[in-house]
Amino acid sequence: MFPFRALVLEDHAFQRAVAVNMLHQLGCGEVLEAADGAEALLLLQNTGPVDVALCDLQMNGMDGLEFMRKANSFIGSVILCSELAPDLRRTVMQIIAMLGINPLGDAGKPLQLRRLQVLLENRLPLPKPMLPAPLALELPNEDALFEGFGRSEFVPFLQPKLDLATGQVKGVEVLARWLRPGKGLLPPSVFMPVIERYGLLDVLLSELLASGLALQRKLLQQGHSLEFSYNLHASQLENCYLIQRIQALLKYHGVPAGKIVFELTESAQIEDSATSLESLVRLRMMGCGLSIDDFGIGFSSLRRLCQLPFTEMKLDAEFVHSLTAQPRSSAVIESTLVLAKSLGITLVMEGVETREQHQELVALGCSVGQGYLYARPMGVSAFVDWLGQGIHSRTSHEYSNPFYREPYLIC
């Protein structure tokens, strides 16, 4: 069934024999075996690499971790067979991937034939198809950027934030896209590095604010009172004139400052300067909200929460994505909820993509979420249609219903 070459690294003779026998039952072409890391490494050096290694971790002499580090060029994939605590085994799986070895999974102990078969069937890499070489990406120059701004080619795309219990839209995050003639709709990954390089972040923000505030005013007149969030780079806080520009735009469009939130990416270091802190305070004095984005992965998260006047934090999507596979993620989310509540700030869950994640977040007590399960970023007209159809107004029960189907999705 599995015509590959395997290695069993196990210091317990009986358990090693069981593993070897199971691999033979599953049709493995050749099975090598060793009682410790040093013996296994010498075996591989003499006989060549293996496709899969079933590896114990705790052994006398060279343990499994040291063996994998020294033998990574001889091993294609690894299945862990260990009695270590689950949290340690999960960390070891991350180490295996960092070593450039394919982590097939954790079989635990005692080894079960069906579990081993499932790991081999579901996780062994398929032959990679031959793909054409990707075209070299042509980055825009400064002239192209100014031309794009002059023609209003930088447009807002909106991704909603929803009340997890009711499905009601709480607000939207305003994201930049470049509708460039002859190039199509370009994502931020193409143009943002160049925007930053040429110091045009403030110009882009002004463009997005002008478009977003015009839409927000129209929606307010129609009875939709939504918060609009804009990304703000830490370096922009050094420009005191930016605050005056924001004030002028809010006054011109007649939108309350309390309906505007500025999201500061937590992975970007905020300078400890009087100008930066003054900018943050002025935004709060105006009534604007301040959000710390990607909370939990950047610089000094807790220190920032103590020192800076945030009203919201967005927990990085990584914690939601690992919610079902990583039990500690639930504990992190619960603790962050308690922290947010004690500080009197809103917690937004990013990256919600499945109904299972939605259900678990609701059970944990999360109230606001954002992600592809609810809606992808969309253009202004598509968002207005989406909002008008009321397809967002669904309950937590509807999201948990396995027979409920998405009626409408904008990519």
Side-chain angles (χ1 to χ4, degrees):
M1 186 184 300
F2 297 109
F4 53 74
R5 197 164 187 258
L7 165 72
V8 176
L9 176 55
E10 168 63 64
D11 62 347
H12 193 284
F14 176 74
Q15 293 181 358
R16 185 169 67 251
V18 169
V20 170
N21 182 56
M22 286 184 182
L23 285 169
H24 282 309
Q25 287 184 58
L26 293 173
C28 181
E30 181 183 1
V31 183
L32 307 176
E33 54 181 294
D36 63 62
E39 180 185 348
L41 182 59
L42 182 61
L43 189 61
L44 294 180
Q45 289 171 341
N46 290 333
T47 65
V50 294
D51 300 294
V52 180
L54 272 66
C55 190
D56 192 9
L57 293 173
Q58 292 178 297
M59 292 171 285
N60 293 326
M62 185 188 294
D63 62 29
L65 278 173
E66 184 179 358
F67 163 73
M68 286 185 283
R69 176 167 49 81
K70 291 183 176 180
N72 64 332
S73 61
F74 291 94
I75 306 171
S77 305
V78 165
I79 294 175
L80 284 189
C81 302
S82 174
E83 294 177 322
L84 278 180
D87 58 334
L88 289 177
R89 298 204 302 267
R90 285 191 294 269
T91 303
V92 170
M93 295 300 288
Q94 296 178 41
I95 294 172
I96 292 171
M98 291 176 182
L99 291 172
I101 306 171
N102 182 27
L104 294 185
D106 179 6
K109 278 189 177 179
L111 187 62
Q112 302 291 327
L113 179 65
R114 179 56 186 158
R115 171 66 174 162
L116 179 59
Q117 182 178 358
V118 168
L119 289 175
L120 293 173
E121 285 178 345
N122 295 343
R123 303 295 297 276
L124 274 177
L126 298 173
K128 295 182 179 179
M130 296 298 292
L131 298 176
L135 296 175
L137 183 64
E138 180 186 353
L139 293 178
N141 56 33
E142 189 174 11
D143 290 338
L145 291 175
F146 277 113
E147 188 174 283
F149 283 122
R151 295 178 177 178
S152 299
E153 294 172 0
F154 289 90
V155 296
F157 263 50
L158 313 173
Q159 185 172 24
K161 301 177 186 177
L162 276 70
D163 184 306
L164 296 184
T166 67
Q168 293 295 320
V169 181
K170 305 284 289 184
V172 297
E173 180 179 0
V174 181
L175 304 164
R177 299 291 187 269
W178 188 358
L179 191 57
R180 192 177 183 192
K183 302 289 185 179
L185 191 67
L186 303 181
S189 58
V190 173
F191 59 84
M192 283 305 297
V194 190
I195 291 275
E196 291 183 34
R197 183 190 308 164
Y198 293 118
L200 297 173
L201 286 169
D202 291 349
V203 179
L204 179 62
L205 179 60
S206 294
E207 291 280 307
L208 294 178
L209 273 169
S211 301
L213 290 171
L215 172 62
Q216 195 171 7
R217 181 180 180 182
K218 183 184 297 184
L219 292 175
L220 281 169
Q221 292 169 346
Q222 296 173 359
H224 299 293
S225 180
L226 305 180
E227 279 188 350
F228 274 46
S229 300
Y230 298 84
N231 291 300
L232 191 63
H233 194 276
S235 63
Q236 293 177 266
L237 297 173
E238 290 293 308
N239 180 7
C240 58
Y241 297 106
L242 179 66
I243 307 303
Q244 297 176 13
R245 174 64 175 160
I246 293 171
Q247 285 178 317
L249 285 169
L250 286 170
K251 184 177 180 180
Y252 177 80
H253 289 280
V255 174
K259 290 296 180 181
I260 301 297
V261 177
F262 291 99
E263 298 184 8
L264 284 96
T265 302
E266 209 259 330
S267 57
Q269 182 69 57
I270 297 177
E271 296 295 330
D272 288 328
S273 72
T275 305
S276 291
L277 295 177
E278 182 181 334
S279 295
L280 292 173
V281 171
R282 285 190 178 280
L283 287 171
R284 284 294 310 277
M285 288 172 63
M286 288 164 52
C288 299
L290 293 177
S291 177
I292 182 168
D293 198 8
D294 299 329
F295 181 79
I297 63 166
F299 297 98
S300 308
S301 305
L302 296 177
R303 177 175 173 268
R304 284 186 168 200
L305 283 177
C306 291
Q307 293 183 336
L308 303 177
F310 289 107
T311 58
E312 175 187 281
M313 57 182 173
K314 300 179 72 177
L315 194 62
D316 185 70
E318 179 182 328
F319 296 100
V320 174
H321 294 165
S322 62
L323 192 54
T324 54
Q326 172 59 275
R328 289 195 174 189
S329 292
S330 295
V332 170
I333 291 171
E334 283 188 291
S335 299
T336 309
L337 276 168
V338 173
L339 175 64
K341 185 176 181 180
S342 65
L343 293 173
I345 64 179
T346 302
L347 178 64
V348 178
M349 308 306 302
E350 293 188 283
V352 186
E353 296 181 352
T354 68
R355 293 192 182 105
E356 291 75 20
Q357 292 167 353
H358 172 92
Q359 286 179 266
E360 195 152 349
L361 290 173
V362 171
L364 289 171
C366 302
S367 59
V368 183
Q370 181 180 19
Y372 285 0
L373 175 63
Y374 316 119
R376 294 171 180 261
M378 60 190 98
V380 170
S381 60
F383 173 73
V384 172
D385 291 342
W386 180 86
L387 190 65
Q389 292 185 27
I391 59 171
H392 50 280
S393 301
R394 66 187 69 160
T395 65
S396 174
H397 172 72
E398 288 174 310
Y399 281 122
S400 65
N401 182 353
F403 301 106
Y404 182 83
R405 298 181 65 186
E406 297 287 340
Y408 191 67
L409 181 64
I410 303 164
C411 297

